Amino acid sequence: MGGEDEILSTMEDFAAVYDVLVIGCGPGGFTAAMQASQAGLLTACVDQRASLGGAYLVDGAVPSKTLLYESYLYRLLQQQELIEQRGTRLFPAKFDMQAAQSALKHNIEELGNVYKRELSKNNVTVYKGTAAFKDPHHVEIAQRGMKPFIVEAKYIVVATGSAVIQCPGVAIDNDKIISSDKALSLDYIPSRFTIMGGGTIGLEIACIFNNLGSRVTIVESQSEICQNMDNELASATKTLLQCQGIAFLLDTRVQLAEADAAGQLNITLLNKVSKKTYVHHCDVLMVSIGRRPLLKGLDISSIGLDERDFVENVDVQTQSLLKYPHIKPIGDVTLGPMLALKAEEQAIRAIQSIGCTGSDGTSNCGFPPNVLYCQPQIGWVGYTEEGLAKARIPYQKGRVLFSQNVRYNTLLPREENTTVSPFIKVLIDSRDMKILGVHMINDDANELLSQASMAVSLGLTAHDVCKVPFPHPSLSESFKQAVQLAMANGTSPGVHVRE
Amino acid sequence: MGGEDEILSTMEDFAAVYDVLVIGCGPGGFTAAMQASQAGLLTACVDQRASLGGAYLVDGAVPSKTLLYESYLYRLLQQQELIEQRGTRLFPAKFDMQAAQSALKHNIEELGNVYKRELSKNNVTVYKGTAAFKDPHHVEIAQRGMKPFIVEAKYIVVATGSAVIQCPGVAIDNDKIISSDKALSLDYIPSRFTIMGGGTIGLEIACIFNNLGSRVTIVESQSEICQNMDNELASATKTLLQCQGIAFLLDTRVQLAEADAAGQLNITLLNKVSKKTYVHHCDVLMVSIGRRPLLKGLDISSIGLDERDFVENVDVQTQSLLKYPHIKPIGDVTLGPMLALKAEEQAIRAIQSIGCTGSDGTSNCGFPPNVLYCQPQIGWVGYTEEGLAKARIPYQKGRVLFSQNVRYNTLLPREENTTVSPFIKVLIDSRDMKILGVHMINDDANELLSQASMAVSLGLTAHDVCKVPFPHPSLSESFKQAVQLAMANGTSPGVHVRE
């Protein structure tokens, strides 16, 4: 790096020198900046969004979970009979999407301000702008309406996140054909809403618009939705959403999407099984076939890197690039599930590796807890049955219906037009009774899953869980009951014969 | 017991001989019967209520939790602005108590039927009637409209539960002056509803009627509500309920309650501090100053026992009476908190002690998790700060507001007219970082508490909890955050000086 001094000498707008520069301020970047600063390192952070928090706060998890909850409340209130049976007399409700969006925008700003205040309290400098590498230790920051300037840093954390994958033949114009980001800020309810992709993001947005009255269709190229889910859970999820009114076109590819003169979208679909092509009509098409690392604009090629270096050539103990150990990618730009908690744990590891701390254990993200925030929620952590069979681990399972849970029965009854009864399934190792996987459908899965994640990640056994007194009445009691049942049941038949 | 044969020979209606007879079929009795039967013991169960499930199902936890949830929903729906801000336009709601009671009755029957089916599946004979000891191994069962008969049993589990304590000068007529059991089956909403006793039962019923529009006053003879709660939590709870409209008269005794000609209740109160007496008016007075073991009718004196034998003279390892080891009291008739989970764990211990099983660990009920199901809920498990100070255990605390939790912000905003911001407080041992106590106010406390109870009862440390990946976004993340904060904070000042 002999050229560094030369470059700097020609830069009149050289601004500051930091120990750590964090590029991107989502959950991962924020955690990295906070940890670095708390470890006594001079830290700065650069982010180009209007509000801090990354895709997570601004156009990902927060808007989707907020709208899911609001749209569920609306759907619930429309089920007059269900509520009136239990005492409260109601008149029909209406939904005002603009009011919801305006509350949402306010909420996102408030949460962004929490980030801002915490960073400021910890003396982290925040730049609002884009960042581009000039050399391995220098980054150019361009803020709107200002002359770009250079920042020098000993360590650089790359936490720029991910962007929606585009599909050939389906040009996103964010009017008729939209990304999932755009869908979460729509201020109207399309009457026919079609979604490409049956993954978590697609399904959650499907639920929002289905709850609000759109006619929702999901087009998925695989034969099942949610590929990483336990088969039984995925199949129950599909049935559940079908009962709520969502249509599924599986084994189906989108070949072309075009708007006609009347403003209708005509989508050419190919059924992979029948090999037949047909046209599907809708008003809005959302593309959510996945997300990819977002490194565009960072000019990594200027320092001899390409995208694969962030995926393949990383030391995962220290979150360091093999080529430049002082550059530390975290979160969605790295391999593995695109979850905020992975980014946060990687952030902690990255900063600990700088050598200031290192005592706190970080959590094991090999099996992160997953939640699909539909209603009821779908949650899972650890091994699936398929995974155990594949790994040839002998296991026992306990499956309990929530309909026999006392707390469940004190809450509002659920919609009747569903053939799926909420359940929890616990998988334990037949050899040592360790809890290996927990899969559930229930309103509160995102909270119930914490106990399950504790059990799985700390290697607790069924005996341990049996020792715990659970609040009474609570949905959590069904977790204990499923654990007890798994202990009582023998090893699942078939586990030794399946491949 | 030489007289036994003689007695039997004179009884023409001698019916059956069992290994185990369980008297009372609440959560404890049911668990005992199921465990005994599954251990291969010939088992019968006798219960006098119309529906199985004991006070727990029939006039305790289930009705109170159901009505709490329904009345909260009604209260929420009346806060039109709160909901309309987030999109759903509503018209004012009304509450129909008769509809709610009829749904509740149906629900209780259904849950009772679950008990019945399970017992029947396990070949447990169920007698609907009262039971009275004839000698240590023989019990007379009287079923309505039938001739009494005698049942012989090797072991007898006494799980008869508890009843409301009466107060001199305040005669319960279940019209104007009612018990908490009666309150939960009222089919109208009194306009002025006064409650004697500021414990958990009193507070929950106060919330139900306050939500539904009654003007609720709580009269408590102590200077604080909920004596077993952490002081900070108790004080926050009182403020919270005051903000919701409930009035508190603390340090106040009820001396006399009388209805006047107009049907109004005139209650003479004594303020213990000012020593002044005054008259308070209301329409209905509920007495909930506590519950006591219910052994009446069991004729324990016929075998030389009195109530103290069930409290003081019990071997807690085997749940056996010292005088008659084959008689095993469990649940509310024994010492300790009157919680269903205690009864269930005692049931397991009692049956294991009969010697058939013994491998399953039972949970530690020394620190059972507690929930006050108001809205937001109040939950706590383990040591209070006062308890730690008294035990001279050095501790550190972490306290986190849920208002900074992302999941919290995606849900509906809470009422603004409250000065209490929901929080979670974690207390850890400064010496080994073990989690000793968790105290919280939040909507979902009854589910969040399970994780906390796992940590406390399994002796997990703060380091352990830090290793767990929590679902994102979830309220549970605040638990982890509070644990992290407790680790970062030093030993609480004052712990060494307090007595």
Side-chain angles (χ1 to χ4, degrees):
Chain A
M1 296 171 235
E4 259 184 80
D5 288 346
E6 200 185 346
I7 293 173
L8 280 182
S9 66
T10 65
M11 290 185 181
E12 48 182 25
D13 296 310
F14 174 72
V17 180
Y18 294 99
D19 292 320
V20 176
L21 174 68
V22 179
I23 305 175
C25 192
F30 172 74
T31 305
M34 290 290 287
Q35 292 270 325
S37 159
Q38 283 165 5
L41 300 165
L42 189 62
T43 306
C45 183
V46 52
D47 192 278
Q48 60 179 324
R49 289 169 193 269
S51 192
L52 295 183
Y56 177 73
L57 278 196
V58 181
D59 42 33
V62 170
S64 69
K65 276 54 175 175
T66 303
L67 292 172
L68 275 161
Y69 180 71
E70 288 166 356
S71 65
Y72 159 68
L73 192 69
Y74 170 68
R75 182 189 180 87
L76 181 72
L77 289 174
Q78 280 184 306
Q79 290 165 323
Q80 217 166 322
E81 257 183 67
L82 221 63
I83 293 179
E84 300 209 342
Q85 243 175 37
R86 298 288 284 269
T88 302
R89 301 248 166 272
L90 279 179
F91 293 93
K94 281 179 196 245
F95 198 81
D96 176 345
M97 194 60 157
Q98 284 167 6
Q101 282 295 346
S102 127
L104 178 56
K105 204 171 279 174
H106 176 74
N107 206 353
I108 290 169
E109 272 168 27
E110 283 300 304
L111 286 167
N113 287 338
V114 171
Y115 271 42
K116 211 153 109 184
R117 274 197 303 275
E118 288 295 310
L119 291 172
S120 150
K121 227 194 284 171
N122 282 274
N123 300 315
V124 175
T125 307
V126 177
Y127 298 110
K128 284 253 173 98
T130 58
F133 277 101
K134 285 296 156 189
D135 71 44
H137 283 280
H138 291 89
V139 169
E140 184 181 81
I141 293 177
Q143 291 182 293
R144 189 189 292 246
M146 284 171 65
K147 219 169 159 186
F149 54 89
I150 300 287
V151 161
E152 180 182 325
K154 273 195 219 129
Y155 296 94
I156 297 170
V157 175
V158 177
T160 42
S162 59
V164 170
I165 294 177
Q166 305 251 5
C167 172
V170 188
I172 293 178
D173 59 14
N174 275 337
D175 174 30
K176 294 271 158 202
I177 303 179
I178 66 179
S179 67
S180 52
D181 296 4
K182 176 69 185 177
L184 291 168
S185 62
L186 273 194
D187 62 358
Y188 68 99
I189 303 162
S191 55
R192 291 168 304 173
F193 191 77
T194 297
I195 293 171
M196 247 182 100
T200 310
I201 294 174
L203 293 179
E204 288 189 347
I205 294 175
C207 287
I208 294 172
F209 287 93
N210 183 58
N211 285 342
L212 297 178
S214 295
R215 194 178 149 68
V216 177
T217 305
I218 289 180
V219 182
E220 165 61 51
S221 64
Q222 303 293 312
S223 59
E224 258 307 342
I225 58 169
C226 290
Q227 265 82 49
N228 64 339
M229 236 188 238
D230 181 90
N231 284 356
E232 182 186 12
L233 198 65
S235 150
T237 302
K238 197 181 69 190
T239 307
L240 184 86
L241 299 182
Q242 276 171 334
C243 291
Q244 293 183 359
I246 296 174
F248 289 89
L249 301 174
L250 301 180
D251 284 316
T252 300
R253 279 229 165 85
V254 174
Q255 294 194 309
L256 192 67
E258 285 176 319
D260 62 23
Q264 178 179 258
L265 267 183
N266 299 314
I267 304 175
T268 310
L269 299 177
L270 167 70
N271 184 309
K272 283 164 61 188
V273 178
S274 69
K275 313 275 182 209
K276 284 199 180 138
T277 290
Y278 59 105
V279 176
H280 167 86
H281 308 286
C282 67
D283 301 298
V284 170
L285 173 68
M286 182 183 91
V287 179
S288 62
I289 53 174
R291 297 177 72 88
R292 51 175 291 163
L294 178 61
L295 292 163
K296 216 178 62 182
L298 207 55
D299 208 4
I300 53 173
S301 62
S302 73
I303 53 170
L305 295 171
D306 63 30
E307 290 198 12
R308 273 172 310 165
D309 289 316
F310 285 76
V311 176
E312 294 164 15
N313 302 320
V314 178
D315 173 58
V316 292
Q317 293 303 312
T318 61
Q319 290 299 132
S320 301
L321 291 184
L322 297 183
K323 277 194 196 164
Y324 298 111
H326 74 283
I327 298 181
K328 294 166 177 294
I330 63 170
D332 289 2
V333 297
T334 68
L335 208 62
M338 292 188 177
L339 291 172
L341 72 92
K342 182 192 76 169
E344 291 173 354
E345 298 301 339
Q346 288 177 330
I348 295 170
R349 262 209 304 280
I351 301 304
Q352 283 179 353
S353 76
I354 295 179
C356 317
T357 58
S359 65
D360 281 8
T362 56
S363 61
N364 173 10
C365 281
F367 278 126
N370 290 275
V371 184
L372 181 63
Y373 289 80
C374 53
Q375 200 70 28
Q377 298 176 352
I378 316 293
W380 69 101
V381 62
Y383 275 100
T384 60
E385 287 201 62
E386 295 70 45
L388 288 171
K390 205 169 155 197
R392 295 176 164 274
I393 299 172
Y395 67 98
Q396 301 173 202
K397 65 174 160 180
R399 190 178 181 281
V400 169
L401 294 180
F402 282 102
S403 59
Q404 303 218 344
N405 177 292
V406 169
R407 178 60 180 161
Y408 185 83
N409 282 285
T410 65
L411 302 171
L412 270 196
R414 303 322 178 283
E415 301 175 57
E416 300 292 336
N417 62 338
T418 170
T419 52
V420 179
S421 184
F423 67 88
I424 180 166
K425 177 168 80 170
V426 172
L427 309 174
I428 63 176
D429 193 319
S430 295
R431 300 163 302 185
D432 55 13
M433 297 286 134
K434 275 198 180 155
I435 293 167
L436 299 178
V438 182
H439 306 269
M440 65 178 98
I441 302 190
N442 202 332
D443 279 8
D444 244 340
N446 78 320
E447 304 304 340
L448 297 187
L449 203 56
S450 301
Q451 307 148 42
S453 185
M454 274 175 81
V456 169
S457 65
L458 297 178
L460 300 182
T461 66
H463 300 292
D464 291 327
V465 173
C466 287
K467 280 188 209 127
V468 177
F470 279 72
H472 210 28
S474 68
L475 299 174
S476 310
E477 290 172 287
S478 292
F479 170 50
K480 184 172 178 174
Q481 215 192 326
V483 167
Q484 285 167 331
L485 204 61
M487 281 174 84
N489 289 338
T491 304
S492 277
V495 64
H496 292 295
V497 291
R498 279 171 81 170
E499 190 47 34
Chain B
M1 292 169 235
E4 259 183 80
D5 288 346
E6 198 183 348
I7 293 173
L8 279 182
S9 63
T10 63
M11 289 184 182
E12 49 181 25
D13 298 310
F14 173 71
V17 180
Y18 295 99
D19 294 320
V20 177
L21 174 68
V22 180
I23 306 176
C25 191
F30 171 75
T31 304
M34 290 290 288
Q35 292 271 325
S37 160
Q38 283 166 5
L41 301 164
L42 190 61
T43 307
C45 182
V46 52
D47 192 277
Q48 60 179 323
R49 290 169 193 268
S51 192
L52 295 183
Y56 177 74
L57 276 195
V58 181
D59 43 33
V62 170
S64 70
K65 275 56 174 175
T66 303
L67 292 172
L68 274 162
Y69 180 72
E70 288 166 357
S71 67
Y72 159 67
L73 192 69
Y74 170 68
R75 183 190 179 86
L76 181 73
L77 289 174
Q78 279 183 305
Q79 291 164 326
Q80 216 165 323
E81 256 183 68
L82 221 63
I83 293 178
E84 300 211 341
Q85 243 174 36
R86 299 285 285 267
T88 301
R89 301 248 165 273
L90 279 178
F91 293 93
K94 282 181 195 243
F95 198 82
D96 176 344
M97 194 61 155
Q98 284 166 7
Q101 282 295 347
S102 128
L104 178 56
K105 202 170 279 175
H106 177 75
N107 206 354
I108 290 168
E109 274 169 27
E110 283 298 303
L111 286 166
N113 287 338
V114 171
Y115 271 43
K116 211 154 109 185
R117 274 197 303 275
E118 288 294 311
L119 290 171
S120 152
K121 227 193 284 172
N122 283 274
N123 301 314
V124 176
T125 306
V126 177
Y127 298 110
K128 283 250 173 107
T130 59
F133 276 101
K134 285 296 153 189
D135 72 43
H137 283 280
H138 291 90
V139 170
E140 183 181 80
I141 294 177
Q143 292 182 293
R144 189 189 293 244
M146 283 172 66
K147 218 171 161 186
F149 54 89
I150 300 286
V151 161
E152 178 182 329
K154 272 193 221 132
Y155 297 93
I156 297 169
V157 175
V158 177
T160 42
S162 58
V164 171
I165 294 178
Q166 305 251 6
C167 173
V170 187
I172 292 179
D173 59 12
N174 275 338
D175 174 28
K176 294 274 160 201
I177 303 180
I178 65 180
S179 68
S180 52
D181 296 4
K182 175 69 185 174
L184 291 168
S185 62
L186 274 195
D187 63 357
Y188 68 100
I189 302 162
S191 55
R192 291 168 304 173
F193 191 79
T194 297
I195 293 170
M196 247 181 101
T200 310
I201 294 173
L203 293 179
E204 288 190 346
I205 293 174
C207 287
I208 293 171
F209 287 95
N210 183 59
N211 286 342
L212 296 178
S214 294
R215 194 178 149 69
V216 177
T217 305
I218 288 179
V219 182
E220 165 62 51
S221 64
Q222 303 294 312
S223 59
E224 256 309 340
I225 57 168
C226 290
Q227 265 83 47
N228 65 341
M229 236 189 241
D230 180 272
N231 284 356
E232 182 185 14
L233 198 65
S235 150
T237 301
K238 197 181 67 190
T239 308
L240 184 85
L241 298 182
Q242 276 172 332
C243 290
Q244 293 183 2
I246 295 173
F248 289 89
L249 300 174
L250 301 180
D251 284 317
T252 301
R253 280 228 165 83
V254 175
Q255 294 194 311
L256 192 67
E258 286 177 320
D260 62 22
Q264 177 179 260
L265 268 182
N266 300 314
I267 303 175
T268 309
L269 299 177
L270 167 70
N271 182 310
K272 284 163 59 189
V273 178
S274 69
K275 313 274 183 212
K276 284 198 180 139
T277 290
Y278 58 104
V279 176
H280 166 86
H281 307 287
C282 66
D283 301 298
V284 170
L285 174 67
M286 180 184 93
V287 180
S288 63
I289 54 173
R291 297 177 73 88
R292 50 174 294 161
L294 178 62
L295 292 163
K296 217 176 60 181
L298 207 54
D299 208 5
I300 53 174
S301 63
S302 74
I303 53 170
L305 294 172
D306 63 30
E307 291 198 13
R308 272 171 312 165
D309 290 317
F310 286 75
V311 176
E312 293 164 14
N313 303 322
V314 178
D315 173 56
V316 292
Q317 293 305 312
T318 60
Q319 289 300 132
S320 301
L321 290 184
L322 296 182
K323 278 194 195 164
Y324 297 111
H326 75 282
I327 298 181
K328 295 166 177 293
I330 63 170
D332 289 5
V333 297
T334 68
L335 206 62
M338 292 187 177
L339 291 173
L341 72 91
K342 181 192 76 168
E344 291 173 353
E345 298 300 339
Q346 288 177 332
I348 294 171
R349 261 208 304 280
I351 301 304
Q352 282 179 352
S353 76
I354 295 178
C356 317
T357 57
S359 66
D360 280 9
T362 56
S363 60
N364 172 11
C365 281
F367 279 126
N370 290 276
V371 184
L372 181 64
Y373 288 79
C374 54
Q375 200 70 27
Q377 298 175 353
I378 316 293
W380 69 101
V381 63
Y383 275 102
T384 61
E385 287 201 63
E386 295 71 46
L388 288 172
K390 206 169 156 197
R392 294 177 166 273
I393 298 172
Y395 68 99
Q396 302 174 201
K397 67 173 156 179
R399 190 177 181 280
V400 169
L401 295 179
F402 282 101
S403 59
Q404 302 218 345
N405 177 291
V406 168
R407 177 61 180 160
Y408 185 82
N409 282 283
T410 65
L411 302 172
L412 270 196
R414 303 319 179 286
E415 300 175 60
E416 300 293 335
N417 63 338
T418 168
T419 51
V420 179
S421 185
F423 67 86
I424 180 167
K425 177 167 80 170
V426 171
L427 308 174
I428 63 176
D429 193 319
S430 296
R431 300 163 302 186
D432 56 13
M433 298 286 134
K434 274 198 179 155
I435 294 167
L436 298 177
V438 181
H439 306 269
M440 66 178 97
I441 302 190
N442 202 333
D443 279 7
D444 243 339
N446 79 320
E447 304 303 339
L448 297 188
L449 205 56
S450 302
Q451 306 148 45
S453 185
M454 274 175 82
V456 170
S457 66
L458 297 178
L460 300 183
T461 65
H463 300 293
D464 291 327
V465 173
C466 287
K467 280 189 209 126
V468 178
F470 280 72
H472 208 31
S474 68
L475 298 173
S476 310
E477 290 172 288
S478 292
F479 171 51
K480 184 171 180 176
Q481 213 191 327
V483 167
Q484 284 167 332
L485 204 61
M487 282 174 84
N489 289 337
T491 303
S492 278
V495 65
H496 292 296
V497 292
R498 283 173 79 171
E499 191 48 35

